[in-house]
Amino acid sequence: MLLVGLSAVTTPPVEASADCIRYESHLRWRGEAATPGEARDAVLRGSLAYVADGSGGLVILDLALPESPTVVGGADTPGEASGIALEGDLVFIADGSAGLVIVDVSSPADPTILGSVDTPGTAHDVAVGSGHVFVADASGIIVAAVEDPAQPAIIASLALDGDPRAVALDQDLLVATSRDAGIHTIDVSAPATPVPIGSLDTAGLARDVALLGAHAYVADGSNGLLVVDLSQPAAPVVVGSVATPDFAASLALSGTHAFVLAGIAGLQVIDIANPAAPAIVGQVATDGFPTRVASEGPLVLAGHELGRIHVIDAGNPEPPPLLGALSVPGIMFDLARAGEILFVAGSNFLHAIDLVDPSQPVLLGSTTVPGNAFGVAVAADLAYVAAGSSGLVVADVSDPTQLGVLGTADTPATAGDVAKQDGYAFLADGSGGLQIADVSDPAAPVLVAHLATPDNAMGIDVTGDRAYLASDGAGLLIVDVADPTQPVLLGVHATPSAENVRVEGSLAFVADTNTGLLILDVADPTAPVLLATLDTVSLTRDVAVVDGHAYIASYLAGIAVAEVSDPSRPILLGTRDTFDGVLSASAEGGVFCAGDGFSGLKILPLQCAAPSVAPATGVLSPSARLRLAPNPHARSVEIRFVRPRSGEISLRVYDAGGRLIRLLARTLKGQTGLAAAHWDGTDEHGRVVPSGVYFVVCDAAHGRTIRRAVRLKE
């Protein structure tokens, strides 16, 4: 594997404009790892995560590829690993009923338990400093001397009210949380004689605590995040707070932000630059039952009792921006755009929304439809609605302010989606399979044909003389509809839970509820071929594809955006939680529209096109110069650069076609000086890329620097 630097030029950066953004430059979900236990706590160092995995003991993950974390080692502990701290090559674990366990992790692939000591109660959390370990135990605070990690010894204990759950240490001050008694401040300048010096009863159930400067940040259950002034440890006082959407269970701090796990609402990103006025600035869905959160550098880990670790990139803690939003009554099930008008199908309604100004969407008109409007397609001045148990409904939309039903045709089962072509409407009719209606007379549509499907027909797209059905349990079905009165099944590709499908050229993009986004080559309709699968965080419900990017409705996780210009190597660029459940996606007319369940319409920018990496004239900026060394090299290359004094800088690798291959690094304000990154010739999924010409692109506030590079075979 070889990178050879050949040229360097500077061009203006292609960051967010009024029309597009880079989703990969914002707060986003990047990947997840399964663990054998319950992922109760974690700590990060470099590219490794050390996980207290409950019944799974200690698990060590390699996060070098955040999209695909891998288990590199582990150790079976005698109890249930609940809390964890790391110092040097030693991991200290609060191991439930087994007390304190110490593990040597100098070899992450082969960690070794060195010693342990039982504690009187159940050990929940641990903090370490100056040769001593402080354990939050059901019996109180336990202090252990660990100068000899093979023989830790309890040297003190301090009874506390309220079931102690978490501890944080700052030099000689220990802060402990108790679920039923708030927080306690303890002087541990003499570890053998810890002295309680203050307490503060909180309104919620204090579950976790982190320290920064003179403040303690407390995850206080239903009371949200509390900021407590500790300048007088004997008299801690709340100076700021912010309510969280659900139970605040855990938190971690990084710079001017707190990351709080809040029940089913997921990870909350909270700006704490002003401790007196913390404010939620972002949210990332993390389905499951939250345990603990950890952060280091740009990465945040969120653990869940189902045995999953979510990896979140918070290098820029701001989420992708909303351009506009509109709340309407009922649930939004589907979207179809015609010019500047967006038609929304929902529970018993069809809405017409004016998107001339995406920042100010305007509801123009509505009409009631019989049954739930699960799907909609628009052609000319007519809307064709898949109206659930009421079958097909045809509506006149020539005047968006005066929508009206023209005709209906009942179908055998539950019409869930619809496509229109020529004089026919094609319906995915649940257990009724494919239903085809002649709509040449929109006032009197007539069913003319049907095709039974192996399982419920959920979604449909029609292009040319082919109909593509997403059939829950059966997968993707391809049907010849050259003669709509005689549909013929051509081919099937089985998927676990196909929900919807969009076809672009010879590619079918299948939204599969449980698997994610599936990309299939359907050039031969009798033998569709799966090219790639992309995890999209949560239940995948819909997809729209424009200019090499997929815009995905990811239900409880909100929306996701992926680059699919190379369909065999899709890259998840970004995500945004929209606070409800996104069921539908549209990416026509220059904006991304998401139907967010009961929360209404959300409008977001499209992803910026892949940057042009063609050489251009310009002067290399000293503060962003790139050096690739050794040059040439047969395996990996070190990329050296100078971080600027202000602004953000990022390194990305693109192929010769302008497709993003790998995000290598991102640094933030205040991090100045010489830095380095490495590229090993793999993409975001860890797959080796072919030999050829690539471009290393450095973006900063002052401009863009590009190094052309050639990768050779080993």
Side-chain angles (χ1 to χ4, degrees):
M1 306 173 195
L2 177 65
L3 274 174
V4 183
L6 299 177
S7 62
V9 297
T10 299
T11 60
V14 185
E15 183 35 39
S17 68
D19 301 319
C20 69
I21 63 169
R22 289 185 185 142
Y23 279 83
E24 68 270 29
S25 295
H26 292 266
L27 178 69
R28 60 178 178 143
W29 182 94
R30 292 194 68 175
E32 73 174 28
T35 63
E38 297 82 33
R40 294 186 177 178
D41 197 7
V43 62
L44 289 86
R45 178 192 286 167
S47 64
L48 296 178
Y50 302 84
V51 182
D53 195 40
S55 59
L58 171 67
V59 174
I60 303 176
L61 300 173
D62 186 347
L63 303 180
L65 292 172
E67 287 73 16
S68 303
T70 56
V71 175
V72 296
D76 187 13
T77 59
E80 292 197 342
S82 300
I84 191 167
L86 175 66
E87 185 173 84
D89 289 332
L90 299 178
V91 161
F92 301 87
I93 297 174
D95 201 38
S97 59
L100 173 66
V101 174
I102 304 175
V103 185
D104 181 345
V105 293
S106 55
S107 174
D110 187 26
T112 303
I113 295 178
L114 296 178
S116 64
V117 61
D118 198 5
T119 56
T122 300
H124 296 299
D125 195 19
V126 60
V128 59
S130 302
H132 295 87
V133 173
F134 303 88
V135 180
D137 187 79
S139 66
I141 300 300
I142 306 300
V143 185
V146 291
E147 289 88 351
D148 180 358
Q151 295 184 346
I154 294 176
I155 60 171
S157 63
L158 178 66
L160 291 180
D161 295 332
D163 191 9
R165 285 302 176 113
V167 285
L169 180 67
D170 183 8
Q171 297 182 359
D172 294 336
L173 180 65
L174 184 73
V175 179
T177 67
S178 294
R179 287 200 311 170
D180 303 321
I183 69 169
H184 307 267
T185 54
I186 304 164
D187 182 350
V188 292
S189 55
T193 55
V195 178
I197 53 178
S199 64
L200 174 69
D201 195 359
T202 59
L205 297 177
R207 292 290 298 271
D208 200 7
V209 62
L211 305 180
L212 181 63
H215 295 95
Y217 295 81
V218 181
D220 198 39
S222 59
N223 203 30
L225 174 70
L226 302 182
V227 185
V228 180
D229 186 344
L230 297 178
S231 56
Q232 297 184 34
V237 59
V238 174
V239 294
S241 65
V242 62
T244 52
D246 201 354
F247 191 93
S250 175
L251 82 157
L253 304 179
S254 180
T256 58
H257 290 86
F259 303 98
V260 178
L261 272 180
I264 62 172
L267 182 75
Q268 308 297 305
V269 182
I270 301 175
D271 186 337
I272 56 172
N274 179 1
I280 295 175
V281 295
Q283 176 171 307
V284 179
T286 54
D287 57 330
F289 303 95
T291 52
R292 299 291 285 274
V293 61
S295 70
E296 180 176 281
L299 295 183
V300 178
L301 299 188
H304 292 276
E305 289 183 356
L306 297 180
R308 292 201 304 276
I309 290 283
H310 293 281
V311 184
I312 295 158
D313 188 335
N316 173 7
E318 298 290 334
L322 283 179
L323 295 178
L326 180 67
S327 180
V328 296
I331 304 176
M332 290 188 169
F333 289 123
D334 199 15
L335 309 173
R337 185 156 178 172
E340 300 296 344
I341 307 299
L342 182 72
F343 293 92
V344 179
S347 47
N348 299 104
F349 65 75
L350 177 67
H351 293 316
I353 298 173
D354 186 342
L355 294 183
V356 170
D357 180 357
S359 68
Q360 298 286 336
V362 177
L363 180 61
L364 296 176
S366 303
T367 188
T368 300
V369 297
N372 283 316
F374 290 126
V376 61
V378 178
D381 292 332
L382 298 173
Y384 302 85
V385 179
S389 59
S390 296
L392 173 67
V393 173
V394 184
D396 181 352
V397 296
S398 56
D399 180 355
T401 66
Q402 298 289 330
L403 308 181
V405 172
L406 292 178
T408 64
D410 196 10
T411 57
T414 304
D417 198 14
V418 60
K420 165 66 170 55
Q421 183 167 276
D422 299 328
Y424 296 91
F426 301 82
L427 295 111
D429 193 45
S431 61
L434 170 64
Q435 298 290 326
I436 304 175
D438 183 336
V439 292
S440 54
D441 180 359
V446 178
L447 296 180
V448 295
H450 78 278
L451 179 72
T453 55
D455 211 323
N456 291 331
M458 306 295 290
I460 190 167
D461 197 8
V462 177
T463 177
D465 56 5
R466 302 283 187 265
Y468 301 83
L469 283 166
S471 179
D472 184 25
L476 176 66
L477 281 60
I478 305 177
V479 182
D480 185 339
V481 291
D483 179 355
T485 65
Q486 295 185 350
V488 178
L489 181 64
L490 296 176
V492 178
H493 181 86
T495 70
S497 47
E499 179 78 18
N500 218 327
V501 58
R502 294 291 177 265
V503 177
E504 294 289 327
S506 62
L507 298 174
F509 298 84
V510 178
D512 189 84
T513 303
N514 294 319
T515 306
L517 178 67
L518 281 62
I519 306 176
L520 296 99
D521 183 340
V522 292
D524 179 357
T526 65
V529 177
L530 179 66
L531 299 177
T533 299
L534 182 69
D535 190 356
T536 60
V537 192
S538 185
L539 306 177
T540 308
R541 302 300 296 267
D542 196 11
V543 60
V545 181
V546 174
D547 295 333
H549 296 106
Y551 299 86
I552 302 161
S554 192
Y555 197 48
L556 294 179
I559 61 92
V561 178
E563 182 167 325
V564 293
S565 52
D566 180 351
S568 66
R569 299 173 182 267
I571 298 173
L572 184 65
L573 296 176
T575 57
R576 192 191 199 282
D577 197 335
T578 54
F579 303 105
D580 201 345
V582 178
L583 299 172
S584 53
S586 166
E588 299 175 84
V591 293
F592 177 13
C593 294
D596 193 26
F598 283 106
S599 293
L601 177 67
K602 303 295 195 311
I603 306 172
L604 300 98
L606 295 183
Q607 168 75 11
C608 289
S612 171
V613 292
T617 60
V619 179
L620 178 62
S621 168
S623 64
R625 61 181 179 268
L626 297 177
R627 295 181 182 274
L628 278 61
N631 186 10
H633 195 278
R635 293 185 180 275
S636 64
V637 64
E638 182 181 65
I639 304 163
R640 296 184 178 182
F641 59 100
V642 176
R643 294 176 286 206
R645 287 187 173 87
S646 63
E648 182 179 299
I649 190 169
S650 66
L651 287 177
R652 294 175 172 83
V653 178
Y654 294 88
D655 67 13
R659 290 178 288 269
L660 177 66
I661 298 298
R662 183 84 175 269
L663 174 62
L664 291 176
R666 183 188 298 126
T667 63
L668 299 177
K669 296 178 181 179
Q671 299 174 311
T672 61
L674 185 65
H678 292 80
W679 186 47
D680 60 0
T682 61
D683 64 12
E684 291 280 290
H685 301 285
R687 297 174 297 198
V688 176
V689 301
S691 58
V693 177
Y694 293 86
F695 295 87
V696 179
V697 179
C698 177
D699 280 317
H702 60 267
R704 162 168 291 177
T705 304
I706 301 172
R707 284 278 185 184
R708 187 157 62 99
V710 177
R711 178 174 174 267
L712 302 178
K713 295 180 179 178
E714 287 190 54

